[in-house]
Amino acid sequence: MVARAHKVRTSNSTEQQLELGIQPSLDALSVSPWLRWRDWWVGKDSTLLYDRMLLWLTLALIAIGLVMVTSASFPVAERLTGNPFHFMIRHGFYVALGIALLITVIQIPIQWWSAGSGVLLLISMGMLFMVLFIGHEVNGAKRWIKLGPLTLQVAEVAKLFFVIYMSSYLTRRVGEVQENLKGFLKPLVVLFCFAGLLLLQPDFGSLVVMSCIAVGMLFLAGARLWQFFGVMIAFALAIVLLIVKEPYRMRRVISFLDPWEDPFGSGYQLTQSLMAFGRGDWFGQGLGNSIQKLQYLPEAHTDFIMAVVGEELGFFGIVLILVLSFALVIRTMHLGQKALHAGHQYGGFVAYGIGIWFAFQAMVNIGAAAGILPTKGLTLPLISYGGTSLLISCVAIGILLRVDYEVRVSQIKVAPRRRSVTKAGGAA
């Protein structure tokens, strides 16, 4: 009788397990394809240990960048090297190396970056100092260090290491930043040291980006409003002074206000860019059919790649890139908020810093190409040709994915272990 009862219980439990296994399958079939696709894209599964949406946005921007760099660089590559695929091959190599770096960085705990923030800060300052003496000069600026076949733009490395340092400082001294002026001014002294080294290159654009990163992170850390607005006014006055002091910067501002006044001189690059946008109309001339990239628009595959996108893919191509870039920034800022709420203060500040960096640099690049802002030598993250920019952006994305991973792991609730039951009915 005992054996028969045990057999009945076993049969009932097996049937219940089958029913439980079939029910989720039936529920999944009843969900519309659109909802299944949305859940897969967003990654709402609580057991998923990485941000699927952040990863796919990154890969989409990298893929678009590779296609557009290939299209925009054909004429200049043919003229400079005799091989129209020269820049495509180099950019493809950087894409592969960047993805490898992204995968590697995901394996590094966030605590490692926090512990080494001071050393990384000194390394970046040392590199900015070295480039003044051993740097490769292009158009009167020493911003690059030759490393065999590779070229390293040290300002891009400095941006990432500055975000890492600022996050470490705010994690340790957030109370001091919120309560007194001394804690608020300390990171600005570090920024001032970076400013001196960047202006000696000169690299005014990177200085503006780093200044916005510092001010934005201090504001999000809870700095007092009067301190925030005071620094903003001081930075604005300093920027105006630096523009007025250098004639070439002043010419850029004047040509930005009215590029058609000197369309073959100081306003040449911007007028060619505006003509590219105008030719694109709604749907563009078609991929590869740009006229302005045929030696008319300088730096078509780097700083002004959005003009080629506008000409070949039209208004909808521009909107696509804007939506993807905006979604990436929003996802990054949301990750920072989620990390802070979960108690991962350092990871939250890192995410905020990278989000501000990507947002402002993309805004300046696109604004300069469209004639909304004065032209600056800043790349469009993950899209423009530029090995260092792409590699550092991939490292930053890897850090974001690691932050998200650690937040998700900390929120996983482990179910209590069930007590096994022996055949005799007693507890093991």
Side-chain angles (χ1 to χ4, degrees):
M1 293 295 292
V2 174
R4 183 178 299 177
H6 176 69
K7 187 175 180 180
V8 170
R9 285 198 303 268
T10 304
S11 176
N12 291 336
S13 64
T14 303
E15 291 176 358
Q16 289 176 358
Q17 289 176 1
L18 288 173
E19 290 176 359
L20 290 173
I22 293 171
Q23 189 62 36
S25 301
L26 294 175
D27 292 342
L29 291 174
S30 64
V31 178
S32 67
W34 160 251
L35 292 177
R36 290 205 303 270
W37 181 86
R38 185 199 64 183
D39 292 343
W40 180 88
W41 172 267
V42 177
K44 289 188 174 181
D45 186 0
S46 60
T47 62
L48 195 65
L49 294 181
Y50 68 96
D51 191 332
R52 181 179 283 165
M53 187 176 183
L54 180 63
L55 180 61
W56 280 109
L57 287 170
T58 301
L59 294 178
L61 288 170
I62 291 175
I64 292 172
L66 180 60
V67 172
M68 293 313 304
V69 165
T70 302
S71 176
S73 64
F74 273 146
V76 65
E78 176 70 28
R79 177 173 63 86
L80 294 177
T81 67
N83 178 13
F85 295 97
H86 173 76
F87 290 111
M88 185 207 74
I89 294 171
R90 286 181 64 89
H91 194 70
F93 169 76
Y94 283 122
V95 167
L97 184 58
I99 293 175
L101 279 174
L102 188 153
I103 296 172
T104 302
V105 169
I106 293 176
Q107 314 302 321
I108 302 175
I110 291 298
Q111 184 58 36
W112 185 88
W113 297 100
S114 177
S117 60
V119 176
L120 295 176
L121 180 73
L122 294 176
I123 290 174
S124 61
M125 285 188 173
M127 293 172 66
L128 288 173
F129 183 75
M130 286 172 55
V131 77
L132 301 176
F133 300 96
I134 63 173
H136 177 63
E137 185 172 344
V138 178
N139 296 329
K142 283 188 176 182
R143 302 176 185 174
W144 300 268
I145 296 178
K146 288 279 189 179
L147 299 174
L150 304 179
T151 304
L152 179 67
Q153 187 174 2
V154 295
E156 296 295 326
V157 181
K159 292 173 192 174
L160 176 63
F161 289 175
F162 182 68
V163 169
I164 291 172
Y165 164 77
M166 281 290 298
S167 303
S168 176
Y169 176 81
L170 293 175
T171 301
R172 292 179 284 109
R173 304 293 179 88
V174 64
E176 190 176 342
V177 169
Q178 295 172 353
E179 293 173 2
N180 59 64
L181 185 61
K182 183 180 178 181
F184 180 81
L185 292 177
K186 283 181 180 178
L188 299 183
V189 174
V190 177
L191 177 64
F192 182 78
C193 297
F194 275 106
L197 294 170
L198 288 169
L199 289 175
L200 290 174
Q201 295 184 12
D203 190 355
F204 185 64
S206 294
L207 171 58
V208 174
V209 172
M210 293 178 69
S211 300
C212 288
I213 292 171
V215 174
M217 292 183 71
L218 287 170
F219 176 74
L220 292 174
R224 296 177 181 178
L225 283 178
W226 71 268
Q227 296 174 343
F228 174 74
F229 286 114
V231 170
M232 289 292 292
I233 294 171
F235 278 168
L237 293 175
I239 289 172
V240 171
L241 180 62
L242 291 170
I243 291 173
V244 173
K245 183 181 177 182
E246 292 292 340
Y248 80 93
R249 293 187 189 127
M250 197 65 190
R251 283 196 300 272
R252 282 186 177 182
V253 173
I254 294 174
S255 64
F256 149 72
L257 295 174
D258 187 8
W260 302 101
E261 183 179 354
D262 187 11
F264 298 104
S266 59
Y268 176 78
Q269 192 173 31
L270 182 54
T271 54
Q272 297 300 319
S273 177
L274 293 175
M275 283 190 281
F277 279 109
R279 291 190 73 252
D281 206 12
W282 287 97
F283 300 101
Q285 300 294 319
L287 186 62
N289 293 330
S290 170
I291 298 296
Q292 296 306 114
K293 70 183 181 183
L294 302 176
Q295 309 298 316
Y296 294 106
L297 176 63
E299 309 296 339
H301 61 300
T302 55
D303 300 345
F304 280 78
I305 194 169
M306 284 299 288
V308 179
V309 172
E311 186 177 6
E312 294 188 351
L313 304 182
F315 175 77
F316 286 101
I318 296 292
V319 169
L320 173 63
I321 292 180
L322 287 175
V323 169
L324 291 175
S325 300
F326 183 71
L328 180 66
V329 170
I330 292 297
R331 196 70 178 177
T332 301
M333 301 301 284
H334 177 261
L335 172 59
Q337 183 184 39
K338 184 172 69 172
L340 289 178
H341 288 169
H344 293 256
Q345 199 169 26
Y346 178 75
F349 284 126
V350 167
Y352 278 151
I354 294 174
I356 295 169
W357 166 21
F358 280 13
F360 186 78
Q361 188 157 321
M363 181 188 72
V364 171
N365 178 277
I366 298 172
I372 302 172
L373 297 171
T375 56
K376 298 303 306 172
L378 294 174
T379 58
L380 183 59
L382 300 172
I383 294 180
S384 296
Y385 176 81
T388 308
S389 175
L390 180 60
L391 295 180
I392 295 299
S393 297
C394 287
V395 171
I397 296 295
I399 293 175
L400 291 176
L401 290 171
R402 180 68 193 193
V403 170
D404 180 75
Y405 168 78
E406 293 190 4
V407 171
R408 289 173 186 250
V409 168
S410 68
Q411 293 177 338
I412 292 177
K413 296 180 180 179
V414 180
R417 186 176 180 180
R418 293 182 178 180
R419 300 177 66 187
S420 61
V421 180
T422 63
K423 291 184 179 181

